[in-house]
Amino acid sequence: MSRQPWPRLAVADWTDTRDTLHLWTQIVGKVRMAYAPLLNHWWQVTLYVSPRGLTTGTVHTPAGALDIELDLVDHRLRMRLSTGTEEAFDLRPMSVADFHAQTLAALERLGLRPRIQATPNEVDPAIPFAEDHEHAAYDPQAAHLFWQQLVQADRVLGEFRSHFVGKVSPVHFWGAMDLACTRFSGRPAPEHPGGAPNCGDWVMVEGYSRELSSCGFWPGGGQEGAFYAYAYPQPAGFEAAEVGPEGAFWSTENGQFLLPYEVVADAPDPDAALSRFLHDTYAAAADLGGWDRAALEDDPARWPQHRRG
């Protein structure tokens, strides 16, 4: 259980910064995608919560092992190569076009010229990065608070992940600006119909090629963001499942269960409130979908005698 209070950040107070930061993270994720081999369901395009912000983790490139980090403490974009070479620039109010140009210039100084699709995905309209002078806001305090929200969500999602011994994604940050963790039954899924804005249907077909139960957090769906959970394919009766804690609900508009962030932050035990939501929604998906839960789950504390340092 965390001893730190869950940070408070009203979505309405940072929408412009959120939308700009969203597009910056897509640019960084596309750089990772340019060099990393395809991994289950596009896992090679994601970012991870770090002790200072969001990072690509290690990416192997022709110039050496690279990592790129959006440092939301000192507000810098940092790039490091295994050769010891580094590049960085300040995160400040700037257009997406400026961020895109500075990122590519810094990479070129490192000897890298990644070929990326230079338009965003899953947003509408999808303004090419080099032409986007509309999104240019950056409130460092809001960005820092959002990262602190992600730190808390990452921790509880990671604990939830540890109960599953089947195929399960890392807790990672997607281009749709959500932090997610996905469990898989081990069975193939029906072909996804696609339909995401400015995202090829073939992308969705690969992303949803296996039966899954997914959960996460994104800065929307509530006054301070929301936790979500859904299943694909959605088993009959899923939307009517009993899910806690009080305040969780089925959103017909979004086709998933939602738990407003503020409900978690206001709870006497935020970790327990969020954990219940994660476990209840997964149990509904797995039970109604006929998953082999005995084979897929285990107790993360099953070796207590070896947990001491």
Side-chain angles (χ1 to χ4, degrees):
M1 176 178 173
S2 172
R3 296 176 181 174
Q4 299 296 320
W6 286 56
R8 311 307 295 261
L9 178 63
V11 172
D13 291 343
W14 79 296
T15 303
D16 291 344
T17 292
R18 179 197 66 179
D19 294 348
T20 301
L21 183 61
H22 180 191
L23 296 168
W24 291 358
T25 62
Q26 284 211 9
I27 292 168
V28 173
K30 286 173 182 283
V31 173
R32 184 184 179 204
M33 184 181 187
Y35 294 113
L38 175 65
L39 187 61
N40 298 326
H41 321 293
W42 311 110
W43 295 355
Q44 83 281 10
V45 309
T46 60
L47 306 180
Y48 309 102
V49 176
S50 78
R52 299 189 67 86
L54 290 165
T55 179
T56 58
T58 299
V59 180
H60 294 284
T61 78
L66 168 75
D67 73 350
I68 306 176
E69 183 175 48
L70 289 145
D71 182 336
L72 302 180
V73 177
D74 286 342
H75 305 285
R76 302 268 286 167
L77 184 75
R78 304 182 189 278
M79 304 178 184
R80 303 181 302 171
L81 272 177
S82 54
T83 59
T85 310
E86 299 185 13
E87 287 287 338
F89 60 84
D90 289 340
L91 299 179
R92 52 176 175 75
M94 73 175 98
S95 69
V96 169
D98 190 7
F99 180 91
H100 176 255
Q102 289 200 53
T103 299
L104 294 184
L107 287 165
E108 187 164 1
R109 290 192 294 272
L110 293 174
L112 295 169
R113 296 174 181 82
R115 295 179 59 189
I116 68 170
Q117 183 188 48
T119 54
N121 300 107
E122 297 187 72
V123 297
D124 189 23
I127 306 169
F129 298 130
E131 301 171 16
D132 189 348
H133 299 279
E134 175 182 335
H135 298 97
Y138 186 73
D139 177 346
Q141 182 180 9
H144 182 79
L145 284 170
F146 173 58
W147 163 69
Q148 289 183 314
Q149 288 182 319
L150 293 177
V151 168
Q152 293 283 39
D154 180 72
R155 180 177 51 76
V156 179
L157 285 166
E159 197 283 331
F160 170 70
R161 180 179 186 266
S162 71
H163 293 260
F164 200 77
V165 295
K167 175 182 169 183
V168 58
S169 78
V171 180
H172 48 197
F173 186 87
W174 279 103
M177 209 177 187
D178 61 312
L179 187 71
C181 181
T182 305
R183 295 174 168 187
F184 297 84
S185 72
R187 301 188 298 242
E191 183 170 304
H192 195 280
N198 294 299
C199 186
D201 290 349
W202 56 274
V203 175
M204 306 302 286
V205 168
E206 167 61 30
Y208 291 91
S209 58
R210 300 292 186 271
E211 194 174 57
L212 60 82
S213 171
S214 190
C215 58
F217 168 73
W218 99 101
Q223 293 180 2
E224 301 177 39
F227 295 94
Y228 66 82
Y230 65 90
Y232 183 80
Q234 184 176 308
F238 180 64
E239 71 279 4
E242 186 173 332
V243 169
E246 185 177 352
F249 65 98
W250 174 259
S251 169
T252 302
E253 178 184 359
N254 293 282
Q256 55 193 348
F257 284 102
L258 295 180
L259 175 64
Y261 178 92
E262 54 270 24
V263 172
V264 174
D266 287 336
D269 186 342
D271 288 34
L274 176 53
S275 292
R276 179 176 177 189
F277 176 76
L278 300 175
H279 285 282
D280 282 1
T281 51
Y282 160 71
D287 289 342
L288 293 169
W291 291 27
D292 184 356
R293 295 186 61 182
L296 295 169
E297 302 168 30
D298 213 331
D299 179 4
R302 59 190 175 274
W303 293 103
Q305 69 271 32
H306 296 298
R307 290 178 61 87
R308 295 188 295 275

